[in-house]
Amino acid sequence: MASLQSLRGMADLLPGQIGLWQHVEARAREHFRRSGITEIRTPLLEVTELFARGIGEATDVVGKEMYTFLDRGERSCTLRPEGTASVVRAAIQHGLLSQGPQRLWYGGPMFRYERPQAGRLRQFHQIGLELLGFADACSDVEAIAIAWDLLAELGVAGLALELNSLGSSEDRARYREQLVTWLEQRRDQLDADSQARIHTNPLRVLDAKHPDTQALLAESPSLASALSDASQARFAAVQQALTALGIPFVLNPRLVRGLDYYSHTAFEITSSQLGAQATVCGGGRYDGLVQQLGGPATPAIGWALGMERLVLLLSQAERPVAALDLYVVSRGEAAATAALALARLCRQAGLAVERDASGSAFAKQFKRADRSGARWAAVIGEQEADDGLVGLQDLRASDHAGDRRLGPVELVEALQAARGRP
Ligand code: ATP
Ligand code: MG
């Protein structure tokens, strides 16, 4: 029978890769804790309308990338393509916003039906931050700094912060008219995708990948000049605060996020080492979203970073999975039971233990003990099983001079004492 394969764009994370993922996740968790940000977990599956309303029909994500199906009760369901809409839904549904501003983070798989390539999958993983109920320019900078510092702490080098302001919804409405008129006049010079977007999502045309379209856009009316005085002052305050924190940035007037609900600050953190999939982290302010999803008017800012892209940047420096303390080898039926009991006792005492279950010759089991990375080996043969004792060997010692036989409880105490020493 032909063997089964995972779906295209859906990757397995194998034991050799997991150390790096867990390292990143642990650092992120700690980083958020220090920043006074609490985790929130929402379902992977939501009603389709949440994303249609929360992300916008005219976006690529809703238009062509969602995994949508009818469940057995004929409800249209969608595997979440991003986290923000779900977090906002949960905050509204559970009345979190009436308890004051919310500082939330989330992590986990997202699903988009895209063409898979390096750093672009159909099931991918994000870590994201949402600050709900925060209006001031310093909050934008706090959100950016949390992302920037997390990446720096993880040791990712060569990153660039790109920054833009999309202004208020009134600014954008005014600019949209100018831009649509300008694009209409040049319709036949645009690529097909951009032509289709002139009326559905004209700002997205600014982000077109097609080189001819890009060249033409160099002459397009600028969003910056359409910003009101208040929006410009706000953008200046964001830049000043970034400078005050010593976070370098470059202005990118073409930076428009793919999602419709953004306003004012928009940003991306990119790496030149990622080829076409250069953006590790993207985010911005989305003052209109909470209300659009039926909640109270609530200013908000957030970002999401792509774990696969981050891990690609880190994978040169792979980290091993945390080492074992003890590897237990045994031979014979009574010894196997004693080994099982010893492993359990050690685990209950907080030690990391693996038991060899092969029943093969001691020499082979000891080879595996060496390969396991454990510091110690416990040996239980028929004699030890009869005596209720265990042989303990230091796998880093060059000879057997230090080998000992001791009872299980003594062994646990010895290892705990030794663990305190280098
Ligand atoms: P892109 O322009 O690369 O498609 P996007 O604007 O669609 O990105 P966002 O929706 O802002 O991305 O998601 C935030 C981050 O999640 C991205 O910067 C990226 O790191 C990651 N990401 C998005 N889509 C994918 C994907 N299909 N596979 C892997 N990572 C992804
Ligand atoms: Mg995308």
Side-chain angles (χ1 to χ4, degrees), residues 9 60-61 65 81-83 106 110-127 204 207 209 256-259 261-262 267-269 274 276-283 303-310:
D60 283 352
V61 171
E65 295 175 358
E82 52 102 58
Y106 62 84
M110 307 292 162
F111 303 85
R112 296 185 195 178
Y113 198 81
E114 303 196 68
R115 195 168 66 79
Q117 46 200 299
R120 190 175 294 286
L121 286 99
R122 289 181 175 172
Q123 174 174 329
F124 62 101
H125 298 77
Q126 287 184 336
I127 291 181
R204 263 300 252 170
D207 196 29
K209 303 286 182 289
V256 287
R257 310 279 312 132
L259 309 179
Y261 47 67
Y262 286 99
F267 71 94
E268 288 187 356
I269 300 176
L274 283 173
Q277 274 61 249
T279 307
V280 188
C281 177
W303 51 253
L305 74 74
M307 282 287 287
E308 280 77 6
R309 295 183 197 178
L310 175 54

Side-chain angles (χ1 to χ4, degrees), residues 295-408:
T298 307
I301 174 134
W303 51 253
L305 74 74
M307 282 287 287
E308 280 77 6
R309 295 183 197 178
L310 175 54
V311 165
L312 276 175
L313 288 172
L314 291 171
S315 54
Q316 297 89 332
E318 209 163 310
R319 275 159 197 82
V321 182
L324 289 172
D325 296 301
L326 183 70
Y327 193 91
V328 185
V329 307
S330 69
R331 209 156 148 70
E333 228 168 273
T337 309
L340 182 60
L342 176 69
R344 182 171 181 233
L345 184 74
C346 291
R347 289 168 187 154
Q348 286 169 338
L351 298 164
V353 185
E354 185 177 335
R355 182 183 68 90
D356 196 304
S358 65
S360 49
F362 270 136
K364 281 192 173 167
Q365 295 193 47
F366 269 107
K367 268 204 185 119
R368 279 194 290 272
D370 281 328
R371 275 203 308 263
S372 76
R375 167 77 199 270
W376 306 90
V379 194
I380 308 179
E382 274 169 33
Q383 189 61 56
E384 285 85 359
D386 276 352
D387 300 346
L389 293 174
V390 181
L392 179 63
Q393 285 186 20
D394 183 345
L395 290 169
R396 288 193 210 148
S398 49
D399 57 31
H400 290 283
D403 289 5
R404 284 180 279 170
R405 292 177 89 211
L406 58 184

